Amino acid sequence: MTSHDQAPAAPQFPQTMGHPRPLWMLFMTEFWERFAFYGMRWALTLYIVAQFWNGDEAGQASASRTYGAYLALVYATAVFGGYVADKIIGYQRSILLGAVVMAAGLFAIMLPYHSVFVFGLSMVIVGNGLFKPNISSMVGQLYATGDSRRDRGFTLFYMGINAGALIAPILTSILADKVFGSDSHHNYHVVFAASGIGMLISLVWFWIGRRMLGDIGRPLSAEMADPKRLLYVIIGVAVAVPLVYLLMDGAGAVVIQWLLMALFLGVAVMLVVEAVRNGRVQIHRVIAMLIIFAFNVLFWMFFEQAGSSFNFLAQNIVDRNLGGWQFPVGWFQSVNPVAIVALAPLIAAAWAWLDGRGAEPSIPRKFGLGLIGNALGFAVLMFALSSLVDASGMIPLWTLVLCYVLQTAGELCLSPIGLSMVTKLAPMRLVGLAMGGWFLSTAIGNNLAGLFAGHVSGEGGLTVASALSGYTMGFWILAGGGVLLFLLAPLINRLMHGIK
């Protein structure tokens, strides 16, 4: 008997729009957290070049590597956050503590000093590790084992949190340009302040709304509920932030990559050891999950160019002139969430329609579709950079927008399905750690994305030629990965033993 067979039934909740009512509370908590995350994300690399490189384009590669390392560590710390929730203080207290630390970090990066900036980013990284994996894990706990609505619930959750990502770059760009700055100068400090306020709203929303969760996310025992445990975790956070600072400021992206790989190996071993205790079926399911994690690395290595090389592409090579009005660089960051909000209900409905006819694609095939969608986005940029460059060395705005839309379609076939997959395939006692492993695979991909973006920009900044070369490589690797995953799908499905 596997751990999935032993899992208790989910509690009965009042239903809203066909899903447990607490889903919508978690939806809004993550909405505001994503507002904070995306509100500052679009500005990070531009701010680094402007503030610490005096606007010199030679700083683009360094800014991209810093951005990639930041994103990687944001997701890597989810491994520890998942373990803290599983074993030490529970999910709800982990989320609340993480929100406090993140908000403090976002306000800290407002200060125009490099050491304070990196320390603030380190606080955001550690706080996010406590927050991000655990709120996703609680979504899975709202549904009973075998409930076919789980994938659709995660897709709706994914749509909702991206509504915050949609609004954030638009609002923070307007605040920076029109209210506190000017058309030609971004007041990035205002962007970071607005993000900090968004994180505070997320904190208050969850604090008030957590009552409707009942026992979900609460400590599982009197020992876990002991206030001393929370104090120990707070001390751990106080130690972790300076350690992350040292990684960000001293180690660099290459060293971080090796550390992430070692950490991922450790998580994989822990999951396999736990699976062995639960029998052959659970071992197979963990192996299937780890294979999917490897392809997740590949997806995010090329997808996560939005805040780095795509940002510099938008700033310097995309013609943003629309009848005398300049389309703001930050607004490109809203194309992805706009597409998610528009496409997520359609894709969720498509999965439901196919499920009713016994034809819904399996998890590995959905992931294969995700890789191919990502590849098609790069194909558009390949075409633009080779055939649509005008006399001033610019490509049309619509090409970057279409790239984002195609990548988003791929993301919707992969990311929300991955969250749901972890809650289905992971050993019941280590769902939080497994969710951390999922985010760790994303972290490895994000760090590689920063290294890739630095390679594309080169030493002198992004050019048409360097972008075309780099994005062509991205297309072929992604397309090959998608085809390979389709070929491996029957084997992976067998390893899942009926999980769909």
Side-chain angles (χ1 to χ4, degrees):
M1 181 176 288
T2 70
S3 61
H4 289 272
D5 298 323
Q6 298 169 341
Q12 296 299 311
F13 293 107
Q15 304 293 296
T16 300
M17 297 175 64
H19 289 271
R21 190 169 296 167
L23 172 69
W24 307 104
M25 184 276 292
L26 297 176
F27 166 127
M28 287 304 300
T29 301
E30 187 75 337
F31 171 97
W32 285 109
E33 188 273 333
R34 290 291 89 181
F35 176 94
F37 183 84
Y38 283 92
M40 54 89 82
R41 188 184 79 153
W42 72 267
L44 271 182
T45 52
L46 301 178
Y47 173 73
I48 291 170
V49 172
Q51 181 70 40
F52 304 121
W53 287 79
N54 296 317
D56 188 344
E57 291 185 355
Q60 290 180 7
S62 175
S64 293
R65 288 190 289 269
T66 298
Y67 172 78
Y70 159 72
L71 278 186
L73 292 172
V74 159
Y75 286 100
T77 52
V79 177
F80 302 102
Y83 185 83
V84 166
D86 277 335
K87 301 293 186 181
I88 303 178
I89 61 173
Y91 294 89
Q92 291 190 21
R93 292 195 293 176
S94 295
I95 289 169
L96 290 169
L97 178 59
V100 170
V101 176
M102 272 195 287
L106 288 166
F107 287 117
I109 63 175
M110 292 172 57
L111 301 176
Y113 306 102
H114 185 264
S115 59
V116 178
F117 172 77
V118 177
F119 195 84
L121 287 182
S122 302
M123 294 181 72
V124 174
I125 288 165
V126 173
N128 192 275
L130 289 166
F131 187 103
K132 184 68 175 170
N134 297 318
I135 196 165
S136 299
S137 294
M138 283 201 296
V139 171
Q141 295 173 41
L142 299 177
Y143 298 90
T145 301
D147 191 331
S148 64
R149 298 175 302 162
R150 188 185 297 225
D151 273 7
R152 298 193 286 279
F154 269 101
T155 299
L156 290 170
F157 179 70
Y158 205 69
M159 179 187 73
I161 64 179
N162 276 277
L166 184 164
I167 294 168
I170 296 173
L171 179 59
T172 54
S173 291
I174 291 172
L175 286 172
D177 285 351
K178 305 298 184 183
V179 180
F180 295 97
S182 68
D183 289 340
S184 60
H185 178 71
H186 292 283
N187 190 332
Y188 296 112
H189 309 299
V190 175
V191 172
F192 303 146
S195 296
I197 291 170
M199 196 62 240
L200 288 178
I201 295 173
S202 176
L203 169 64
V204 172
W205 193 281
F206 184 76
W207 175 265
I208 295 171
R210 65 196 172 104
R211 297 179 184 88
M212 69 174 63
L213 290 166
D215 290 334
I216 287 182
R218 294 185 184 277
L220 297 176
S221 65
E223 186 181 9
M224 286 182 69
D226 188 342
K228 290 181 181 178
R229 288 202 168 200
L230 179 59
L231 177 61
Y232 297 152
V233 173
I234 292 172
I235 293 171
V237 167
V239 173
V241 171
L243 291 177
V244 172
Y245 174 90
L246 292 175
L247 284 175
M248 289 284 293
D249 198 48
V254 174
V255 173
I256 288 173
Q257 188 63 32
W258 284 106
L259 292 174
L260 292 175
M261 294 294 291
L263 184 58
F264 183 81
L265 181 61
V267 170
V269 169
M270 291 176 70
L271 290 170
V272 170
V273 168
E274 179 65 22
V276 167
R277 296 173 181 156
N278 290 278
R280 183 177 62 88
V281 171
Q282 185 63 76
I283 294 171
H284 288 175
R285 285 174 174 169
V286 166
I287 291 171
M289 184 171 64
L290 294 175
I291 293 172
I292 294 293
F293 283 2
F295 284 95
N296 190 53
V297 170
L298 183 62
F299 179 89
W300 292 104
M301 174 180 176
F302 295 101
F303 180 90
E304 195 49 75
Q305 298 300 302
S308 51
S309 73
F310 284 3
N311 226 8
F312 297 124
L313 186 79
Q315 185 181 52
N316 300 319
I317 298 177
V318 172
D319 182 3
R320 296 181 285 116
N321 184 24
L322 298 175
W325 175 70
Q326 283 285 103
F327 187 88
V329 171
W331 286 23
F332 282 103
Q333 305 291 309
S334 289
V335 175
N336 170 257
V338 165
I340 285 177
V341 171
L343 295 176
L346 300 178
I347 291 179
W351 297 152
W353 184 82
L354 290 168
D355 180 50
R357 288 153 181 78
E360 184 176 5
S362 64
I363 290 171
R365 288 194 171 95
K366 287 177 180 177
F367 268 70
L369 290 171
L371 289 167
I372 290 170
N374 197 350
L376 292 175
F378 279 95
V380 172
L381 293 182
M382 287 167 57
F383 172 68
L385 292 164
S386 61
S387 304
L388 300 180
V389 180
D390 64 18
S392 59
M394 310 290 274
I395 62 174
L397 181 147
W398 66 264
T399 59
L400 183 55
V401 171
L402 180 57
C403 172
Y404 275 121
V405 171
L406 290 169
Q407 287 188 319
T408 301
E411 180 187 5
L412 284 168
C413 292
L414 179 144
S415 195
I417 306 306
L419 294 173
S420 179
M421 174 199 70
V422 170
T423 66
K424 296 175 185 177
L425 295 178
M428 186 180 65
R429 291 179 62 249
L430 292 181
V431 171
L433 180 66
M435 192 66 74
W438 164 259
F439 288 119
L440 180 57
S441 69
T442 303
I444 293 170
N446 284 339
N447 195 58
L448 289 171
L451 292 170
F452 173 71
H455 169 74
V456 171
S457 291
E459 295 302 321
L462 191 74
T463 65
V464 170
S466 69
L468 177 59
S469 174
Y471 298 157
T472 299
M473 179 178 71
F475 166 78
W476 286 112
I477 293 175
L478 285 166
V483 171
L484 176 61
L485 193 48
F486 265 88
L487 295 175
L488 292 176
L491 169 62
I492 298 172
N493 287 331
R494 287 196 296 274
L495 291 171
M496 290 183 177
H497 290 276
I499 295 294
K500 298 180 179 179

